[in-house]
Amino acid sequence: MTDIDGRLSATPRTTLRRMKEKGHRDRAALFDVLRAAFVCHLGVIVDGGPMVVPTVYGFDDRHLYLHGSVASRSLTTDAEVCVTVTVVDGLVLARSVFEHGINYRSAMIYGRPRWVTDTEEKLHGLRLLTEHVAPGQWDHARRPNRRELAATTLLALPLAEASVKTRSGPPDDGDGPDAVLGLWAGELPLVARWEQPATDPALPPTTPVPAHVAARAGTRADQA
């Protein structure tokens, strides 16, 4: 839950019990993670069993939006769900295997999603989702028609109960007993970048790549 000052409130589900120093209570930290990624994992209970589904998302100040086919079983729940978002920033290679780790940014969001039925809100959510994944694409491509909207389920998950956890920096065993081993230790950073656009072969070869797509080539995938 959130306080009026923009802090994430501690609940039994969001209170870190291990490595509390890696937690962040600033609401801004949640949006930093959401901006850096565009794939989340939706955890739901379907037919009495767990299901975890990877999917793209969009968001505003109040909601995380998830979409899919009306036939998707993962989007038919009226129970609480858990959504996780993770950005991997690199490997942490220590002197001992026990101390190995990963540098990362992550968020977990809990809540009961709401089916979006209002047409205007549905278009709003789909626009947020599209623009988060591919900025500029909503105004470039044809927008959903009435039939396509009817075939699409959109869930709005409140950004009311969430936790944020990150790790950065070198291994933690630099001043431990294993330091005398003289073994190399450090970080192996991981940076994902967009490559050059590949034009659909069905298009005429003279069709230009839209500026908003071409501009992303060579840029980091975790930065807007």
Side-chain angles (χ1 to χ4, degrees):
M1 297 180 181
T2 55
D3 298 326
I4 58 174
D5 63 356
R7 301 273 285 174
L8 295 172
S9 298
T11 70
R13 293 191 293 195
T14 62
T15 299
L16 298 180
R17 291 168 174 78
R18 295 182 61 254
M19 302 180 180
K20 295 182 179 181
E21 72 281 0
K22 294 179 172 60
H24 300 270
R25 289 194 57 207
D26 290 335
R27 185 169 172 81
L30 171 62
F31 291 107
D32 286 344
V33 174
L34 293 180
R35 280 190 291 267
F38 57 90
V39 173
C40 68
H41 287 81
L42 168 65
V44 298
I45 299 297
V46 177
D47 298 332
M51 176 184 290
V52 178
V53 181
T55 183
V56 296
Y57 63 86
F59 64 96
D60 58 18
D61 290 342
R62 298 177 57 200
H63 295 97
L64 187 81
Y65 287 99
L66 309 166
H67 85 304
S69 166
V70 293
S72 174
R73 293 192 300 159
S74 64
L75 301 180
T76 60
T77 181
D78 59 358
E80 291 200 334
V81 303
C82 177
V83 171
T84 63
V85 179
T86 305
V87 181
V88 177
D89 292 318
L91 299 178
V92 182
L93 305 175
R95 295 153 184 83
S96 70
V97 173
F98 181 79
E99 296 291 345
H100 280 39
I102 294 176
N103 283 336
Y104 62 90
R105 291 163 280 168
S106 68
M108 297 182 71
I109 304 163
Y110 300 91
R112 191 181 300 274
R114 169 177 56 86
W115 285 296
V116 177
T117 57
D118 177 76
T119 299
E120 290 303 314
E121 185 183 3
K122 205 170 197 180
L123 287 170
H124 168 71
L126 292 174
R127 180 183 184 279
L128 289 173
L129 192 151
T130 303
E131 287 296 294
H132 178 54
V133 174
Q137 193 67 10
W138 184 259
D139 289 331
H140 172 76
R142 179 182 64 79
R143 298 176 187 177
N145 58 36
R146 186 172 300 179
R147 177 184 59 81
E148 291 166 337
L149 285 176
T152 302
T153 294
L154 184 70
L155 296 183
L157 177 64
L159 295 174
E161 186 179 5
S163 65
V164 178
K165 191 175 180 182
T166 66
R167 190 209 187 278
S168 61
D172 296 328
D173 61 350
D175 56 357
D178 290 327
V180 300
L181 296 176
L183 298 173
W184 183 91
E187 304 167 61
L188 186 60
L190 174 64
V191 177
R193 296 185 183 276
W194 300 108
E195 295 190 350
Q196 292 295 325
T199 299
D200 184 349
L203 286 173
T206 56
T207 303
V209 177
H212 69 280
V213 176
R216 301 186 78 182
T219 65
R220 289 181 54 157
D222 64 341
Q223 295 181 349

